[in-house]
Amino acid sequence: MKSGEHAIRGNWASLLLPIEADDAIEFRKLGVEIDILIDAKVDGIYSNGTAGEFHNQTEEEFDRIQLMLAERCQKAGMPFIIGACQPDPAIMLNRVRRAAVLQPAAIQVILPDWWPVTNEEAIDFLNRASDTANGIPLILYNPPHAKRVLSLPELGVVLANTPGVVGVKLADGGKDWYADARQHVHGVSLFVPGHHLATGVGEGVAAGSFSNVACLSPRGAQHWTELMQNDIGAALEIEQRICRFMDEHIVPFRQKFGYSNAALDKLLAAIGNWGPVGTRLRSPYRWIEQEEAEHLQTAAKTELPEIVI
Ligand SMILES: N[C@@H](CC=O)C(=O)O
């Protein structure tokens, strides 16, 4: 099984957790959020990336989130992917087993993440996860902040030995990175960061994105993704403005003040103001105040009118 045979591509919207003042997940709002994402007609919805705070929920909460996503998406015919990610491999495999029962389009996993795994250990883990997933394809989520970040040649070796992994979500780079990706990774879908998707599509390398641009606006990110098929030049011009917006208004919250990626993604959602998400993260992580989002709404609408719709 490899991704050539699978149709997982395009603009995947992150399920973000609405968190109450007492640190609880507000499940009623989560249901409303899922319905809004379905209504936005994104290519798919995925749970439990970093932005979905997979690293900070109990197993009971995990089950409840995934069930809610699966039930609503299945009813609406919306593709969904479950993130079974968890730093502890035993807990992650259990999440994979329970996720598979819900029949998602794929299951996202990370590599075990306290002691960095070797390539051989990564292969063993991914094959075990694949057996546990019982025929559901896997997407490997290997972001720059993972304990073990595979280089493209290493990724090529790992993927050649893990037939159940059909996609990889990773950070891209410049022209050389894309040349290396073409050389080393075959028959597997690559998912690049949302704000680089037009570049990845233009390079003929990216199948899609688990997208921070969809955090800002699921509907706008979907239109932009569709534009890439018809007018890549126009899509690349919008990408330049998205990157400038991120560099000027969003990334400084991480660089200057140390906020996490999840805090930045929730800030984007609050700027887009498309659903009941809010900026709050679960303890102990700090979040960016809602007022910051309100201050940035005018800039977002002015600088990215095609996205913030
Ligand atoms: N890396 C992110 C993508 C969304 O912004 C995640 O999945 O958490």
Side-chain angles (χ1 to χ4, degrees), residues 12-14 16 46-54 108 141 143 145 169 193-194 209-215 261-262 265 268:
W12 287 76
S14 314
L16 301 161
Y46 76 103
S47 65
N48 279 28
T50 308
E53 299 175 75
F54 72 77
Q108 231 175 70
Y141 175 29
H145 56 269
K169 169 181 169 185
S209 181
F210 295 94
S211 178
N212 56 349
V213 181
C215 291
N261 286 1
D265 285 335
L268 288 170

Side-chain angles (χ1 to χ4, degrees), residues 227-246:
L227 181 66
M228 290 168 205
Q229 303 309 318
N230 309 321
D231 189 347
I232 189 69
L236 283 164
E237 189 279 323
I238 293 172
E239 180 182 290
Q240 281 180 8
R241 282 187 278 120
I242 294 172
C243 288
R244 197 179 321 132
F245 179 83
M246 296 288 184

Side-chain angles (χ1 to χ4, degrees), residues 26-298:
E26 175 43 275
F27 282 94
R28 190 193 58 77
K29 289 184 181 168
L30 190 69
V32 173
E33 180 193 344
I34 295 169
D35 291 344
I36 291 171
L37 292 175
I38 290 171
D39 203 43
K41 297 188 169 48
V42 291
D43 287 315
I45 306 173
Y46 76 103
S47 65
N48 279 28
T50 308
E53 299 175 75
F54 72 77
H55 48 287
N56 204 2
Q57 55 190 238
T58 67
E59 296 313 287
E60 292 73 24
E61 289 166 336
F62 172 85
D63 287 339
R64 195 165 164 197
I65 294 164
Q66 314 322 317
L67 183 63
M68 187 175 250
L69 177 67
E71 282 181 347
R72 288 183 187 236
C73 287
Q74 276 158 355
K75 195 163 162 217
M78 169 61 68
F80 67 100
I81 290 178
I82 291 179
C85 310
Q86 228 287 335
D88 178 313
I91 298 175
M92 185 154 47
L93 288 174
N94 255 316
R95 286 188 178 190
V96 169
R97 183 179 50 73
R98 300 192 323 271
V101 173
L102 299 172
Q103 292 289 302
I107 297 175
Q108 231 175 70
V109 294
I110 56 172
L111 296 175
D113 198 85
W114 174 242
W115 194 264
V117 290
T118 64
N119 289 356
E120 292 70 27
E121 289 163 344
I123 290 167
D124 285 352
F125 173 76
L126 291 169
N127 284 331
R128 195 147 168 228
S130 191
D131 289 346
T132 308
N134 205 15
I136 309 281
L138 298 183
I139 308 273
L140 172 62
Y141 175 29
N142 192 226
H145 56 269
K147 188 58 68 67
R148 177 82 205 285
V149 181
L150 300 172
S151 67
L152 286 166
E154 290 168 335
L155 195 56
V157 171
V158 168
L159 292 172
N161 291 285
T162 51
V165 180
V166 303
V168 186
K169 169 181 169 185
L170 74 184
D172 64 344
K175 282 271 173 206
D176 289 352
W177 184 91
Y178 279 101
D180 287 349
R182 277 190 288 270
Q183 185 187 339
H184 293 289
V185 182
H186 303 283
V188 170
S189 303
L190 293 185
F191 297 89
V192 299
H195 58 296
H196 294 172
L197 183 56
T199 295
V201 168
E203 290 282 347
V205 166
S209 181
F210 295 94
S211 178
N212 56 349
V213 181
C215 291
L216 178 60
S217 169
R219 204 176 283 275
Q222 188 62 33
H223 288 178
W224 180 51
T225 305
E226 286 161 16
L227 181 66
M228 290 168 205
Q229 303 309 318
N230 309 321
D231 189 347
I232 189 69
L236 283 164
E237 189 279 323
I238 293 172
E239 180 182 290
Q240 281 180 8
R241 282 187 278 120
I242 294 172
C243 288
R244 197 179 321 132
F245 179 83
M246 296 288 184
D247 287 346
E248 286 177 5
H249 302 297
I250 306 299
V251 177
F253 282 101
R254 187 176 59 219
Q255 287 177 338
K256 286 194 194 157
F257 306 111
Y259 287 104
S260 63
N261 286 1
L264 270 49
D265 285 335
K266 279 189 156 169
L267 173 66
L268 288 170
I271 293 170
N273 195 25
W274 49 266
V277 177
T279 58
R280 185 180 280 267
L281 294 181
R282 290 196 112 173
S283 170
Y285 295 100
R286 287 170 61 240
W287 65 91
I288 301 162
E289 290 303 331
Q290 186 76 25
E291 293 74 54
E292 299 283 3
E294 284 151 25
H295 292 146
L296 285 169
Q297 275 165 358
T298 308

